[in-house]
Amino acid sequence: MFIQTESTPNPATLKFLPGKPVLNQGTLDMPTREAAAQSPLAEKLFDIPNVGGVFLGADFISVTKTDGDWQQMKPAILGAIMEHYMSGAPIVASGAEPADDDEFFEASDSETVATIKDLIETRVRPAVAGDGGDITFRGFKEGVVYLQMKGACSGCPSSTATLQHGIQNLLRHFVPEVTEVRPV
């Protein structure tokens, strides 16, 4: 099994591509050891010193470190991923589902929200997934779009710039009602 490794804009996060499906649908963000209980793979990764977060996407695993050097951590992470796939164990424990938080917006804004969601799904999420993370719509109120950044994107030094310059400009261009974009 060959696992590719890619850097992300967040220097504390690396993206691992096992060449096999990771999740069939959605994403799963496990920023703590307790949250990792829903994934046998994530539990193994949290056993590695200095692993501070695991994010699962459709075809990738992003690992965030708290400290340490990637040169020393990478072999252990690659070994844990390879061992997990070879064991045939499930990636996500049975009964665990990728969770979506509640959304908030006024019913009168439903058409605007549908357009915002479509733009995020088709133009923003694929680019963010390419960097080892995910971004989801959480709400819209008084012209402000609230988005949640996960995986490599949460805590990334460039995430604020991405939100304010890239995503905000895109949404303002297509949806004049949008005045600002904020992280949740």
Side-chain angles (χ1 to χ4, degrees), residues 26-182:
T27 60
L28 194 56
D29 190 18
M30 293 159 287
T32 64
R33 179 178 288 281
E34 293 75 30
Q38 55 193 325
S39 168
L41 173 58
E43 285 182 309
K44 282 183 187 174
L45 292 170
F46 268 99
D47 288 341
I48 299 168
N50 297 317
V51 168
V54 176
F55 179 82
L56 305 178
D59 63 350
F60 67 90
I61 302 150
S62 290
V63 177
T64 302
K65 66 179 182 156
T66 55
D67 198 18
D69 184 9
W70 281 121
Q71 293 291 66
Q72 291 163 353
M73 293 177 67
K74 254 171 62 171
I77 294 169
L78 289 166
I81 294 170
M82 192 175 304
E83 182 181 302
H84 183 82
Y85 272 94
M86 293 177 82
S87 76
I91 301 291
V92 178
S94 61
E97 293 283 324
D100 274 336
D101 299 332
D102 292 331
E103 296 176 353
F104 60 91
F105 58 89
E106 298 292 326
S108 59
D109 291 327
S110 59
E111 197 172 305
T112 301
V113 167
T115 303
I116 292 168
K117 285 180 168 182
D118 182 58
L119 288 167
I120 291 168
E121 285 296 317
T122 59
R123 296 183 182 227
V124 178
R125 283 185 87 190
V128 173
D131 286 339
D134 193 18
I135 190 163
T136 53
F137 174 86
R138 286 293 155 243
F140 179 72
K141 185 175 184 180
E142 298 173 359
V144 179
V145 176
Y146 296 89
L147 301 174
Q148 182 176 17
M149 300 184 89
K150 302 176 191 171
C153 298
S154 64
C156 176
S158 62
S159 66
T160 304
T162 299
L163 274 178
Q164 292 182 340
H165 300 296
I167 299 169
Q168 182 171 285
N169 288 344
L170 172 79
L171 293 179
R172 279 180 167 173
H173 177 76
F174 289 102
V175 186
E177 296 86 353
V178 173
T179 58
E180 185 181 355
V181 174
R182 292 186 195 162

